[in-house]
Amino acid sequence: ATRAAACFEEQGRFLPLSEFSRDGRSFTYRLRVSDLWFEQVRIVPADAGSRAEIRLASNLDARWRAQFEADRLQPLRRCLAP
């Protein structure tokens, strides 16, 4: 999970106010302003390497979702690939 998280942080394109946190075993990226959150990616260890848990706010428009796909989801997929 550590390697996948470092790759994601290096290859992804993130917006201002993005937050990154680590606890002993997992990595979390969040985009939020005050109490409003928009995106979250959590990378955790799994039997065969790492897995990601992705949450997007339900009210995001198609343009925002497309930007997430291009800037964060595609790099994440590459980073999780064996």
Side-chain angles (χ1 to χ4, degrees), residues 16-17 27 33 41 43 45 48 51 55-56 58 63 66 68 74:
L17 303 177
F27 165 88
V33 178
V41 174
I43 300 173
R51 98 181 137 82
R55 292 179 55 200
L56 294 176
S58 61
R63 182 175 168 221
F68 174 80
Q74 287 179 12

Side-chain angles (χ1 to χ4, degrees), residues 6-26:
C7 174
F8 175 61
E9 203 169 1
E10 178 183 303
Q11 292 188 22
R13 291 181 38 201
F14 302 96
L15 298 169
L17 303 177
S18 294
E19 301 174 356
F20 304 92
S21 63
R22 290 171 174 76
D23 64 18
R25 298 178 39 96
S26 68

Side-chain angles (χ1 to χ4, degrees), residues 31-69:
L31 179 61
R32 70 178 176 180
V33 178
S34 300
D35 291 334
L36 299 174
W37 69 273
F38 302 96
E39 306 173 354
Q40 177 175 300
V41 174
R42 186 167 182 255
I43 300 173
V44 296
D47 292 337
S50 302
R51 98 181 137 82
E53 301 164 354
I54 300 165
R55 292 179 55 200
L56 294 176
S58 61
N59 61 343
L60 299 180
D61 64 18
R63 182 175 168 221
W64 189 296
R65 289 178 181 273
Q67 195 70 43
F68 174 80
E69 169 83 25

